[in-house]
Amino acid sequence: DSGVTQTPKHLITATGQRVTLRCSPRSGDLSVYWYQQSLDQGLQFLIQYYNGEERAKGNILERFSAQQFPDLHSELNLSSLELGDSALYFCASSVGAEANYGYTFGSGTRLTVV
Amino acid sequence: KNQVEQSPQSLIILEGKNCTLQCNYTVSPFSNLRWYKQDTGRGPVSLTIMTFSENTKSNGRYTATLDADTKQSSLHITASQLSDSASYICVVRASGGSYIPTFGRGTSLIVHP
């Protein structure tokens, strides 16, 4: 157990729907990062939050949004889902804002859009 | 543009054999390089981290090398085991500017009995 908790582990939904993925960072970590991993693709950085504030943004679609709550858990909202959004979504956490000591990854949420 | 290229894309070896995975990067200025192991359907787990001044670092049967001049790194796995079957991802971080690291697409290793 890495200490980073992601729920749900699996999600199947239809095109056009909206889903919310949840992440609880490792105890003591203030940063949360969201990554998307499509089949046979590398990990693509989506967005980072540090202590409740958006810190860095990657290739995140406008249909996707995220937030980090006062208790430091984070949610990634995916709306108007398309077949191409099917992927593994990973959350990672780090102590500081710049991940000087690397990331700790969760086990991911597998999203299937049908 | 910062890029990380890994080779080979996939590799199949017999249990007990050694193998070497390659990583070439264009990330600049260089801060550090990590190798992660990702089991199927799981999150990546860090194996080693190397900074500019380090040439070799070992973690059990895993040995990483870094040549900062040629911007190349390798991960050598000795006496492979079935549990080594996984994707191995090279991740390079720049210093200054954007600290979000650049991920390679990984090498998929399959170890057969």
Side-chain angles (χ1 to χ4, degrees):
Chain A
D1 181 10
S2 68
V4 178
T5 304
Q6 290 189 248
T7 58
K9 292 190 183 304
H10 302 276
L11 200 50
I12 301 175
T13 190
T15 55
Q17 295 299 304
R18 172 190 169 94
V19 297
T20 298
L21 313 183
R22 181 187 170 102
C23 169
S24 293
R26 194 179 58 166
S27 177
D29 286 356
L30 298 180
S31 273
V32 169
Y33 308 79
W34 286 98
Y35 280 84
Q36 179 192 56
Q37 187 176 40
S38 302
L39 190 64
D40 295 331
Q41 296 291 316
L43 285 149
Q44 299 295 318
F45 170 67
L46 296 178
I47 197 165
Q48 178 203 359
Y49 278 82
Y50 173 73
N51 205 21
E53 300 291 327
E54 182 183 304
R55 174 82 177 184
K57 213 167 189 176
N59 300 321
I60 187 167
L61 300 172
E62 286 190 9
R63 300 183 286 109
F64 297 179
S65 65
Q67 55 185 326
Q68 186 178 29
F69 294 87
D71 66 353
L72 300 177
H73 91 271
S74 178
E75 293 182 355
L76 179 67
N77 301 296
L78 314 176
S79 61
S80 303
L81 284 167
E82 302 174 359
L83 295 177
D85 297 327
S86 295
L88 268 168
Y89 290 85
F90 286 102
C91 167
S93 70
S94 68
V95 173
E98 300 189 0
N100 289 319
Y101 302 101
Y103 296 161
T104 300
F105 281 88
S107 295
T109 292
R110 180 175 295 281
L111 173 66
T112 303
V113 182
V114 297
Chain B
K1 182 181 176 182
N2 291 335
Q3 288 187 312
V4 176
E5 300 289 339
Q6 293 188 242
S7 62
Q9 186 174 355
S10 62
L11 185 60
I12 300 174
I13 62 173
L14 292 176
E15 186 178 13
K17 297 296 186 182
N18 303 335
C19 67
T20 299
L21 315 180
Q22 300 290 344
C23 172
N24 296 336
Y25 61 91
T26 60
V27 176
S28 183
F30 175 82
S31 176
N32 62 56
L33 182 150
R34 286 181 183 267
W35 283 94
Y36 283 85
K37 178 186 179 187
Q38 184 180 18
D39 292 317
T40 301
R42 305 298 298 271
V45 175
S46 180
L47 292 174
T48 66
I49 178 172
M50 303 190 74
T51 57
F52 185 87
S53 60
E54 295 174 305
N55 299 120
T56 304
K57 184 170 280 189
S58 292
N59 178 3
R61 294 179 297 101
Y62 301 103
T63 299
T65 65
L66 174 66
D67 185 334
D69 292 330
T70 61
K71 298 186 177 181
Q72 296 180 326
S73 176
S74 65
L75 181 68
H76 186 74
I77 304 175
T78 304
S80 61
Q81 300 176 358
L82 298 179
S83 60
D84 292 331
S85 295
S87 179
Y88 291 84
I89 304 171
C90 177
V91 183
V92 184
R93 185 179 162 199
S95 61
S98 172
Y99 51 86
I100 299 297
T102 303
F103 282 70
R105 294 178 64 165
T107 291
S108 175
L109 174 66
I110 298 174
V111 181
H112 279 313

Coordinates of all heavy atoms in Angstrom, one line a residue, chain A residues 24-101:
Chain A
S24 N -7.0 10.4 -2.2 CA -6.5 10.9 -0.9 C -5.0 10.7 -0.9 O -4.5 9.6 -1.1 CB -7.2 10.1 0.2 OG -8.5 10.3 0.3
P25 N -4.3 11.8 -0.7 CA -2.8 11.7 -0.8 C -2.3 11.0 0.5 O -3.0 10.8 1.5 CB -2.4 13.2 -0.8 CG -3.5 13.9 -0.1 CD -4.8 13.2 -0.4
R26 N -1.0 10.7 0.3 CA -0.3 10.1 1.5 C -0.3 11.1 2.6 O -0.2 12.3 2.4 CB 1.1 9.7 1.0 CG 1.9 8.8 1.9 CD 3.3 8.5 1.4 NE 4.0 9.8 1.1 CZ 5.3 9.8 0.9 NH1 6.0 8.7 0.9 NH2 6.0 10.9 0.7
S27 N -0.3 10.6 3.8 CA -0.3 11.4 5.0 C 0.9 12.4 5.0 O 2.0 11.9 4.9 CB -0.3 10.6 6.3 OG -0.3 11.4 7.4
G28 N 0.7 13.6 5.1 CA 1.7 14.6 5.2 C 2.1 15.2 3.8 O 2.8 16.2 3.8
D29 N 1.6 14.7 2.7 CA 1.8 15.2 1.4 C 0.8 16.3 1.1 O -0.4 16.2 1.4 CB 1.7 14.1 0.3 CG 2.9 13.2 0.4 OD1 3.8 13.4 1.2 OD2 2.9 12.2 -0.4
L30 N 1.3 17.4 0.6 CA 0.4 18.6 0.3 C 0.1 18.7 -1.2 O -0.9 19.4 -1.5 CB 1.1 19.9 0.8 CG 1.4 20.0 2.3 CD1 2.1 21.3 2.6 CD2 0.2 19.8 3.1
S31 N 0.9 18.1 -2.0 CA 0.6 18.2 -3.5 C -0.1 16.9 -4.0 O 0.2 15.8 -3.6 CB 2.0 18.3 -4.2 OG 2.4 19.6 -4.3
V32 N -1.0 17.2 -4.9 CA -1.6 16.1 -5.6 C -1.5 16.3 -7.1 O -1.7 17.4 -7.6 CB -3.1 16.0 -5.2 CG1 -3.9 15.0 -6.1 CG2 -3.3 15.6 -3.8
Y33 N -1.2 15.3 -7.8 CA -1.0 15.3 -9.3 C -2.0 14.3 -9.9 O -2.1 13.2 -9.4 CB 0.4 15.0 -9.7 CG 1.5 15.7 -9.0 CD1 1.9 15.4 -7.7 CD2 2.2 16.8 -9.6 CE1 2.9 16.0 -7.0 CE2 3.2 17.4 -8.9 CZ 3.6 17.1 -7.6 OH 4.6 17.7 -7.0
W34 N -2.5 14.7 -11.0 CA -3.4 13.8 -11.8 C -2.7 13.5 -13.1 O -2.2 14.4 -13.8 CB -4.7 14.4 -12.1 CG -5.6 14.4 -10.8 CD1 -5.8 15.4 -10.0 CD2 -6.4 13.3 -10.3 NE1 -6.7 15.0 -9.0 CE2 -7.1 13.7 -9.2 CE3 -6.6 11.9 -10.7 CZ2 -7.9 12.9 -8.4 CZ3 -7.4 11.1 -10.0 CH2 -8.1 11.6 -8.9
Y35 N -2.7 12.2 -13.5 CA -2.1 11.7 -14.7 C -3.1 10.8 -15.4 O -3.9 10.1 -14.8 CB -0.8 10.9 -14.5 CG 0.4 11.7 -14.2 CD1 0.7 12.2 -12.9 CD2 1.3 12.0 -15.2 CE1 1.8 13.0 -12.7 CE2 2.4 12.8 -15.0 CZ 2.7 13.3 -13.7 OH 3.8 14.0 -13.5
Q36 N -3.0 10.8 -16.8 CA -3.8 9.9 -17.6 C -2.9 9.0 -18.3 O -1.9 9.4 -18.9 CB -4.7 10.8 -18.6 CG -5.5 9.9 -19.5 CD -6.1 10.7 -20.7 OE1 -5.3 11.4 -21.4 NE2 -7.4 10.8 -20.8
Q37 N -3.3 7.7 -18.4 CA -2.5 6.7 -19.1 C -3.4 5.9 -20.0 O -4.1 5.1 -19.5 CB -1.7 5.8 -18.2 CG -0.7 4.9 -18.9 CD 0.1 4.0 -17.9 OE1 -0.4 3.5 -16.9 NE2 1.4 3.8 -18.2
S38 N -3.4 6.2 -21.3 CA -4.2 5.5 -22.3 C -3.4 4.2 -22.7 O -2.2 4.1 -22.4 CB -4.5 6.4 -23.5 OG -5.1 7.6 -23.1
L39 N -4.1 3.3 -23.3 CA -3.6 2.1 -23.7 C -2.3 2.3 -24.5 O -2.3 3.0 -25.5 CB -4.6 1.3 -24.5 CG -4.2 -0.2 -24.8 CD1 -4.1 -1.0 -23.5 CD2 -5.2 -0.8 -25.8
D40 N -1.2 1.7 -24.1 CA 0.1 1.7 -24.7 C 0.7 3.2 -24.8 O 1.5 3.4 -25.6 CB 0.0 1.1 -26.1 CG -0.3 -0.3 -26.1 OD1 0.1 -1.0 -25.1 OD2 -0.9 -0.9 -27.0
Q41 N 0.1 4.1 -24.0 CA 0.7 5.4 -24.0 C 1.4 5.7 -22.7 O 1.1 5.0 -21.7 CB -0.5 6.4 -24.1 CG -1.2 6.4 -25.5 CD -0.3 6.8 -26.6 OE1 0.4 7.8 -26.5 NE2 -0.3 6.1 -27.7
G42 N 2.3 6.6 -22.7 CA 3.0 7.0 -21.5 C 2.0 7.8 -20.6 O 0.9 8.2 -20.9
L43 N 2.5 8.1 -19.4 CA 1.7 8.9 -18.4 C 1.7 10.3 -18.9 O 2.7 10.9 -19.1 CB 2.3 8.8 -17.0 CG 2.0 7.4 -16.4 CD1 3.1 7.0 -15.4 CD2 0.7 7.5 -15.6
Q44 N 0.5 10.9 -19.0 CA 0.3 12.3 -19.4 C -0.1 13.1 -18.2 O -1.2 12.8 -17.6 CB -0.7 12.4 -20.6 CG -0.4 11.6 -21.8 CD 0.9 12.2 -22.5 OE1 1.0 13.4 -22.6 NE2 1.7 11.3 -23.0
F45 N 0.6 14.1 -17.9 CA 0.3 15.0 -16.8 C -0.9 15.9 -17.1 O -1.0 16.5 -18.2 CB 1.5 15.9 -16.5 CG 1.3 17.0 -15.5 CD1 1.0 16.7 -14.2 CD2 1.3 18.3 -15.9 CE1 0.7 17.7 -13.3 CE2 1.0 19.4 -15.0 CZ 0.8 19.1 -13.7
L46 N -1.8 15.9 -16.2 CA -3.0 16.7 -16.4 C -3.0 17.9 -15.5 O -3.1 19.0 -16.1 CB -4.3 15.9 -16.0 CG -4.6 14.6 -16.8 CD1 -5.8 13.9 -16.3 CD2 -4.8 15.0 -18.2
I47 N -2.8 17.8 -14.2 CA -2.9 19.0 -13.4 C -2.3 18.7 -12.0 O -2.3 17.5 -11.6 CB -4.4 19.5 -13.2 CG1 -4.5 20.9 -12.7 CG2 -5.2 18.5 -12.4 CD1 -5.9 21.5 -13.0
Q48 N -1.8 19.7 -11.3 CA -1.3 19.6 -10.0 C -2.0 20.6 -9.0 O -2.2 21.8 -9.4 CB 0.2 19.9 -9.9 CG 0.8 19.8 -8.5 CD 2.1 20.6 -8.4 OE1 2.6 21.2 -9.4 NE2 2.7 20.6 -7.2
Y49 N -2.3 20.2 -7.8 CA -2.7 21.1 -6.8 C -1.8 21.0 -5.6 O -1.2 19.9 -5.3 CB -4.1 20.7 -6.3 CG -5.2 21.2 -7.2 CD1 -5.5 20.6 -8.4 CD2 -5.9 22.4 -6.9 CE1 -6.5 21.1 -9.3 CE2 -6.8 22.9 -7.8 CZ -7.1 22.3 -9.0 OH -8.1 22.8 -9.8
Y50 N -1.5 22.1 -5.0 CA -0.7 22.2 -3.8 C -1.4 23.0 -2.8 O -1.7 24.1 -2.9 CB 0.7 22.9 -4.2 CG 1.5 23.1 -3.0 CD1 2.2 22.0 -2.3 CD2 1.7 24.4 -2.4 CE1 3.0 22.2 -1.2 CE2 2.5 24.6 -1.3 CZ 3.1 23.5 -0.7 OH 3.9 23.7 0.4
N51 N -1.7 22.3 -1.7 CA -2.3 22.9 -0.5 C -3.6 23.7 -0.9 O -3.8 24.8 -0.4 CB -1.3 23.8 0.2 CG -1.6 24.0 1.7 OD1 -2.3 23.2 2.3 ND2 -1.2 25.1 2.3
G52 N -4.3 23.1 -1.8 CA -5.6 23.6 -2.1 C -5.7 24.5 -3.3 O -6.7 24.9 -3.8
E53 N -4.5 24.9 -3.8 CA -4.4 25.8 -5.0 C -3.9 25.1 -6.2 O -3.0 24.3 -6.1 CB -3.5 27.0 -4.6 CG -4.0 27.8 -3.5 CD -5.2 28.6 -3.7 OE1 -5.4 29.0 -4.9 OE2 -6.1 28.8 -2.8
E54 N -4.4 25.5 -7.4 CA -3.9 24.9 -8.6 C -2.4 25.4 -8.8 O -2.2 26.6 -8.7 CB -4.7 25.4 -9.8 CG -4.2 24.8 -11.1 CD -5.0 25.3 -12.3 OE1 -6.3 25.2 -12.3 OE2 -4.4 25.9 -13.2
R55 N -1.5 24.5 -9.1 CA -0.1 24.8 -9.1 C 0.5 24.7 -10.5 O 1.3 25.5 -10.9 CB 0.7 23.9 -8.2 CG 2.2 24.0 -8.2 CD 2.7 25.2 -7.4 NE 4.1 25.3 -7.4 CZ 4.8 26.2 -6.6 NH1 4.2 27.0 -5.8 NH2 6.1 26.2 -6.7
A56 N 0.1 23.7 -11.2 CA 0.6 23.5 -12.6 C -0.5 22.8 -13.4 O -1.3 22.0 -12.9 CB 1.9 22.7 -12.6
K57 N -0.5 23.1 -14.7 CA -1.5 22.6 -15.6 C -0.8 21.9 -16.8 O 0.1 22.5 -17.4 CB -2.4 23.7 -16.1 CG -3.9 23.2 -16.3 CD -4.8 24.5 -16.4 CE -6.2 24.1 -16.5 NZ -7.1 25.3 -16.5
G58 N -1.2 20.8 -17.2 CA -0.7 20.1 -18.3 C -1.7 20.0 -19.4 O -2.5 21.0 -19.7
N59 N -1.7 18.9 -20.1 CA -2.6 18.7 -21.2 C -4.0 18.3 -20.8 O -4.5 17.3 -21.2 CB -2.1 17.7 -22.2 CG -0.7 18.1 -22.7 OD1 -0.5 19.3 -23.0 ND2 0.2 17.2 -22.9
I60 N -4.7 19.1 -20.0 CA -6.0 18.8 -19.5 C -7.1 19.4 -20.4 O -7.0 20.6 -20.7 CB -6.1 19.2 -18.0 CG1 -7.5 18.7 -17.4 CG2 -6.0 20.7 -17.8 CD1 -7.6 18.8 -15.9
L61 N -8.0 18.6 -20.8 CA -9.1 19.1 -21.6 C -10.0 20.0 -20.9 O -10.1 19.9 -19.6 CB -9.9 17.9 -22.2 CG -9.1 16.9 -23.0 CD1 -10.0 15.6 -23.3 CD2 -8.6 17.5 -24.3
E62 N -10.7 20.9 -21.6 CA -11.6 21.8 -20.9 C -12.8 21.0 -20.3 O -13.4 21.5 -19.4 CB -12.2 22.8 -22.0 CG -11.1 23.9 -22.3 CD -11.7 25.0 -23.1 OE1 -13.0 25.0 -23.3 OE2 -11.0 25.8 -23.7
R63 N -13.1 19.8 -20.8 CA -14.2 19.0 -20.3 C -13.8 18.4 -18.9 O -14.6 17.8 -18.2 CB -14.5 17.9 -21.2 CG -15.0 18.3 -22.6 CD -15.3 17.1 -23.4 NE -14.2 16.3 -23.9 CZ -13.9 15.1 -23.5 NH1 -14.6 14.5 -22.5 NH2 -12.8 14.5 -24.0
F64 N -12.5 18.5 -18.6 CA -12.0 18.0 -17.3 C -11.7 19.1 -16.3 O -11.3 20.2 -16.7 CB -10.7 17.2 -17.5 CG -10.8 15.9 -18.4 CD1 -9.7 15.2 -18.7 CD2 -12.1 15.6 -19.0 CE1 -9.8 14.0 -19.5 CE2 -12.2 14.4 -19.8 CZ -11.0 13.7 -20.0
S65 N -12.0 18.9 -15.1 CA -11.6 19.8 -14.1 C -11.2 19.1 -12.8 O -11.6 17.9 -12.6 CB -12.8 20.8 -13.8 OG -13.9 20.1 -13.2
A66 N -10.6 19.8 -11.9 CA -10.2 19.2 -10.7 C -10.2 20.2 -9.5 O -10.3 21.4 -9.8 CB -8.8 18.6 -10.8
Q67 N -10.2 19.7 -8.3 CA -10.0 20.6 -7.2 C -9.4 19.8 -6.0 O -9.4 18.6 -6.0 CB -11.4 21.2 -6.8 CG -12.5 20.2 -6.5 CD -13.8 20.9 -6.2 OE1 -13.8 22.0 -5.6 NE2 -14.9 20.3 -6.6
Q68 N -8.8 20.6 -5.1 CA -8.3 20.0 -3.9 C -9.0 20.6 -2.7 O -9.1 21.8 -2.6 CB -6.8 20.2 -3.8 CG -6.1 19.4 -2.6 CD -4.6 19.6 -2.5 OE1 -4.1 20.6 -2.9 NE2 -3.9 18.6 -2.0
F69 N -9.5 19.8 -1.8 CA -10.3 20.3 -0.7 C -9.4 20.6 0.5 O -8.2 20.2 0.6 CB -11.3 19.2 -0.4 CG -12.3 19.1 -1.5 CD1 -12.1 18.2 -2.5 CD2 -13.5 19.8 -1.5 CE1 -13.0 18.0 -3.6 CE2 -14.4 19.6 -2.6 CZ -14.1 18.8 -3.6
P70 N -10.0 21.3 1.5 CA -9.2 21.6 2.7 C -8.6 20.4 3.4 O -7.5 20.6 4.0 CB -10.2 22.3 3.6 CG -11.2 22.9 2.7 CD -11.3 22.0 1.5
D71 N -9.2 19.2 3.3 CA -8.6 18.1 4.0 C -7.5 17.4 3.0 O -7.0 16.4 3.3 CB -9.6 17.0 4.3 CG -10.3 16.4 3.1 OD1 -10.1 16.9 2.0 OD2 -11.1 15.5 3.3
L72 N -7.2 18.1 1.9 CA -6.2 17.7 0.9 C -6.6 16.6 0.0 O -5.8 16.4 -1.0 CB -4.8 17.4 1.6 CG -4.3 18.5 2.5 CD1 -3.0 18.1 3.1 CD2 -4.0 19.8 1.6
H73 N -7.7 16.0 0.1 CA -8.1 15.1 -0.9 C -8.5 15.8 -2.2 O -8.8 17.1 -2.1 CB -9.3 14.2 -0.4 CG -10.6 14.6 -0.7 ND1 -11.4 15.5 0.1 CD2 -11.4 14.4 -1.8 CE1 -12.5 15.7 -0.4 NE2 -12.6 15.1 -1.6
S74 N -8.4 15.2 -3.3 CA -8.7 15.8 -4.6 C -9.7 15.0 -5.4 O -9.8 13.8 -5.2 CB -7.3 15.9 -5.3 OG -7.5 16.5 -6.6
E75 N -10.4 15.7 -6.2 CA -11.3 15.1 -7.1 C -11.1 15.6 -8.5 O -10.8 16.8 -8.8 CB -12.8 15.4 -6.7 CG -13.2 14.8 -5.4 CD -14.6 15.1 -5.0 OE1 -15.3 15.9 -5.7 OE2 -15.0 14.5 -4.0
L76 N -11.1 14.6 -9.5 CA -11.0 14.9 -10.9 C -12.3 14.6 -11.5 O -12.9 13.5 -11.4 CB -9.9 14.0 -11.5 CG -9.7 14.2 -13.0 CD1 -9.1 15.6 -13.3 CD2 -8.8 13.1 -13.6
N77 N -12.9 15.7 -12.1 CA -14.2 15.6 -12.7 C -14.1 15.5 -14.3 O -13.4 16.4 -14.9 CB -15.1 16.8 -12.4 CG -15.3 16.9 -10.9 OD1 -15.9 16.1 -10.3 ND2 -14.7 18.0 -10.3
L78 N -14.7 14.5 -14.8 CA -14.6 14.3 -16.3 C -16.0 14.4 -16.8 O -16.9 13.6 -16.4 CB -14.0 12.9 -16.6 CG -12.7 12.6 -15.8 CD1 -12.3 11.1 -16.2 CD2 -11.6 13.5 -16.1
S79 N -16.3 15.3 -17.7 CA -17.7 15.5 -18.2 C -17.7 15.3 -19.8 O -16.7 15.2 -20.4 CB -18.2 16.8 -17.9 OG -17.4 17.8 -18.5
S80 N -18.9 15.1 -20.2 CA -19.2 14.9 -21.7 C -18.2 13.8 -22.2 O -17.5 14.0 -23.2 CB -19.0 16.2 -22.5 OG -19.9 17.2 -22.0
L81 N -18.2 12.7 -21.5 CA -17.2 11.7 -21.8 C -17.3 11.2 -23.2 O -18.4 11.0 -23.8 CB -17.4 10.6 -20.8 CG -16.8 10.9 -19.4 CD1 -17.3 9.9 -18.4 CD2 -15.3 11.0 -19.4
E82 N -16.1 10.9 -23.8 CA -16.0 10.3 -25.1 C -15.3 9.0 -25.0 O -14.6 8.7 -24.0 CB -15.2 11.3 -26.0 CG -15.8 12.6 -26.1 CD -15.0 13.6 -26.9 OE1 -13.9 13.2 -27.3 OE2 -15.4 14.8 -27.1
L83 N -15.4 8.2 -26.0 CA -14.8 6.8 -26.0 C -13.3 7.0 -25.8 O -12.7 6.2 -25.1 CB -15.0 6.1 -27.3 CG -16.5 5.7 -27.7 CD1 -16.6 5.1 -29.0 CD2 -17.1 4.8 -26.6
G84 N -12.7 8.0 -26.3 CA -11.2 8.2 -26.2 C -10.8 8.6 -24.8 O -9.6 8.6 -24.5
D85 N -11.7 8.8 -23.9 CA -11.4 9.2 -22.5 C -11.1 7.9 -21.7 O -10.7 8.0 -20.6 CB -12.5 10.0 -21.8 CG -12.7 11.3 -22.5 OD1 -11.7 11.9 -23.0 OD2 -13.8 11.8 -22.5
S86 N -11.4 6.7 -22.3 CA -11.1 5.5 -21.6 C -9.6 5.4 -21.3 O -8.8 5.5 -22.3 CB -11.6 4.3 -22.5 OG -13.0 4.3 -22.6
A87 N -9.3 5.2 -20.1 CA -7.9 5.2 -19.7 C -7.7 4.8 -18.2 O -8.7 4.7 -17.5 CB -7.2 6.5 -20.0
L88 N -6.5 4.7 -17.8 CA -6.2 4.6 -16.4 C -5.9 6.0 -15.9 O -5.1 6.7 -16.6 CB -5.0 3.7 -16.2 CG -5.2 2.3 -15.9 CD1 -3.8 1.5 -16.0 CD2 -5.8 2.0 -14.5
Y89 N -6.5 6.4 -14.8 CA -6.2 7.8 -14.3 C -5.5 7.6 -12.9 O -6.0 6.9 -12.0 CB -7.5 8.5 -14.1 CG -8.1 8.9 -15.4 CD1 -8.9 8.1 -16.2 CD2 -7.8 10.2 -16.0 CE1 -9.4 8.4 -17.4 CE2 -8.3 10.5 -17.3 CZ -9.1 9.6 -17.9 OH -9.6 10.0 -19.2
F90 N -4.3 8.1 -12.9 CA -3.5 8.0 -11.7 C -3.4 9.3 -10.9 O -3.3 10.4 -11.5 CB -2.1 7.5 -12.0 CG -2.0 6.1 -12.4 CD1 -1.8 5.7 -13.7 CD2 -2.0 5.1 -11.4 CE1 -1.7 4.4 -14.1 CE2 -1.9 3.7 -11.8 CZ -1.7 3.4 -13.2
C91 N -3.4 9.2 -9.6 CA -3.2 10.3 -8.7 C -1.8 10.0 -8.1 O -1.5 8.8 -7.8 CB -4.3 10.3 -7.7 SG -3.9 11.4 -6.3
A92 N -1.0 11.0 -7.9 CA 0.2 10.9 -7.2 C 0.3 12.0 -6.2 O -0.4 13.1 -6.3 CB 1.4 11.0 -8.1
S93 N 1.1 11.9 -5.1 CA 1.2 12.9 -4.2 C 2.7 13.1 -3.8 O 3.5 12.2 -4.0 CB 0.4 12.7 -2.9 OG 1.0 11.6 -2.1
S94 N 3.0 14.3 -3.3 CA 4.4 14.6 -2.9 C 4.3 15.6 -1.7 O 3.3 16.3 -1.5 CB 5.2 15.2 -4.0 OG 4.8 16.5 -4.3
V95 N 5.4 15.6 -1.0 CA 5.4 16.5 0.2 C 5.3 17.9 -0.2 O 4.5 18.7 0.3 CB 6.7 16.2 1.0 CG1 6.8 17.2 2.2 CG2 6.7 14.8 1.6
G96 N 6.2 18.4 -1.0 CA 6.3 19.8 -1.4 C 5.6 20.1 -2.7 O 5.0 19.2 -3.3
A97 N 5.8 21.3 -3.1 CA 5.2 21.8 -4.3 C 5.9 21.3 -5.6 O 5.4 21.2 -6.7 CB 5.1 23.3 -4.4
E98 N 7.2 21.0 -5.4 CA 8.0 20.7 -6.6 C 8.5 19.2 -6.6 O 9.4 18.9 -7.3 CB 9.2 21.6 -6.7 CG 8.7 23.1 -6.8 CD 9.8 24.1 -7.2 OE1 11.0 23.6 -7.3 OE2 9.5 25.3 -7.3
A99 N 7.9 18.4 -5.8 CA 8.2 16.9 -5.8 C 9.7 16.7 -5.9 O 10.2 15.8 -6.6 CB 7.6 16.3 -7.0
N100 N 10.5 17.3 -5.0 CA 11.9 17.1 -5.0 C 12.3 15.7 -4.6 O 13.4 15.2 -4.9 CB 12.6 18.1 -4.0 CG 12.6 19.5 -4.5 OD1 12.8 19.8 -5.6 ND2 12.3 20.5 -3.6
Y101 N 11.5 15.0 -3.9 CA 11.7 13.7 -3.4 C 10.9 12.7 -4.2 O 10.7 11.5 -3.8 CB 11.5 13.5 -1.9 CG 12.4 14.5 -1.2 CD1 11.8 15.7 -0.6 CD2 13.7 14.2 -1.0 CE1 12.7 16.6 0.1 CE2 14.5 15.1 -0.3 CZ 14.0 16.3 0.2 OH 14.8 17.2 0.9

